[in-house]
Amino acid sequence: MQKFTDSSKRLLDFIEKSPSCFHAVENIGRMLEEHGFERLYENEKWELARGKSYYVTRNSSSVMAFRIPEEVFTGFRLICSHTDSPSFKVKENPEMETDRKYIRLNVEKYGGMLCAPWFDRPLSLAGRLLVRQEDGVRQVLVNIDRDLLMIPNLAIHMNRSANEGASYHAQVDMCPVFGDETSKDGFSSMLAKEAGVGPEDILGTDLYVYNRQKGTIWGANGEFIGGPRLDDLQCVFATLEGFLAAEEKKVTHVSVFCAFDNEETGSVSRQGAASTFLQDTLMRISEGMGQSAQEYRMTVAGSFMISADNAHALHPAHPEMADPVNRPQMNHGIVVKYNANQKYTTDAVSAAVFKRLCEKAEVPYQTFTNRSDMPGGSTLGNISNTQVSMRCVDIGLAQLAMHSPYEMAGIKDTWYLQRAAEVFYRTAFCFGPGEEIRFQ
Ligand code: CO
């Protein structure tokens, strides 16, 4: 039981230190460097060597790390997850005054969130500033590490139908209170102070609202965890831990860890799963190790991807919303996701490979499909497959309250995924001329 508690505590600590996608990538970079990974830059020439480990970021919000084996490689082994979570992004010139009594911040939705749970709780801001310096501009990450904002509900007395299905208008209802009338014109100076620059030097901002409530372990027997951004930092953290633990160099594949930004808005951006980031990086690894264009395509054909994004557990009050048979339960293992219309990439082949890996790792797995009359969401696997096509399985960890600012998951599942990821990266397997797979 201790191993489950330990991995969950480490996860909650990682989440607390990662209030925005930029902070998550910065923390991932630090962990990679502690394990001897060398940082590469996309606008520089890469000199890669066998047996070495590297990482590269794009937009400071997506990251790919890889380990080149000592042997000749014939495939990539990838696990992809996402760094972003639904939130509210601060707009330009955000201060708005109400009746000369309050200053609120003008925000817009980022991704598809549950609005109601953002009300009546301490919130703050994190993200990045671009600031003027002598010879250009530089990026500064900021986290206003105190209770700064709140979105107050309208009292029941003024909204008698509040409990009968409320609707929320982002522009009217969701703009957080920043202060009273004395806070007027104080927003940029607060940011400037945080970054140690003058207010006039702030030339760009990407700032997101985040929930200040810390993660916790709870339940009658401590069986659950609660916390912000479990979707998808739980998968990011678990697969990173597995990747770092799998220091195997005597394999015939390149192990790749990917965490992409902008999954919550459809992945279409310079750094999302639909961008060229994945393909550019894989091609550069291949070229850097002397492979021809044909050999690159052979390597991709021998590759396998795990797309890791959290899954819906059976809801205690609404079991009717789940598929009649495939009903994931928290703490009961990694969820393999299926969808006939290819929202999830899992097919018989990739499911079979993944189940064999779980057997080798001695971790349980379970299955998820949407109700046949509900469309469900999409994720990274099918989108990245339009850029680099390879065998892929969609998996995740069972959770509740997805896209709330405070979500719920199981205490054991982070460890299960960590363990499965480690075994995946350590295991050499190849594909035969049919759809057979041979473990080596
Ligand atoms: Co997700």
Side-chain angles (χ1 to χ4, degrees), residues 269-322:
S269 66
R270 186 173 74 91
Q271 59 279 347
S275 76
T276 60
F277 188 35
L278 178 64
Q279 185 177 46
D280 290 347
T281 306
L282 298 186
M283 283 184 99
R284 289 181 78 167
I285 297 169
S286 172
E287 278 168 20
M289 299 315 295
Q291 288 192 335
S292 65
Q294 172 149 215
E295 284 165 336
Y296 169 71
R297 289 179 173 86
M298 287 160 63
T299 304
V300 170
S303 295
F304 194 87
M305 180 190 289
I306 297 175
S307 160
D309 194 1
N310 269 0
H312 301 293
L314 180 76
H315 193 280
H318 290 285
E320 76 284 2
M321 300 308 273

Side-chain angles (χ1 to χ4, degrees), residues 82 84 231-232 263-264 309-310 379 402-403:
H82 66 89
D84 60 325
D231 172 14
D232 191 27
E263 192 278 337
E264 298 297 357
D309 194 1
N310 269 0
T379 179
M402 190 180 281
H403 292 194

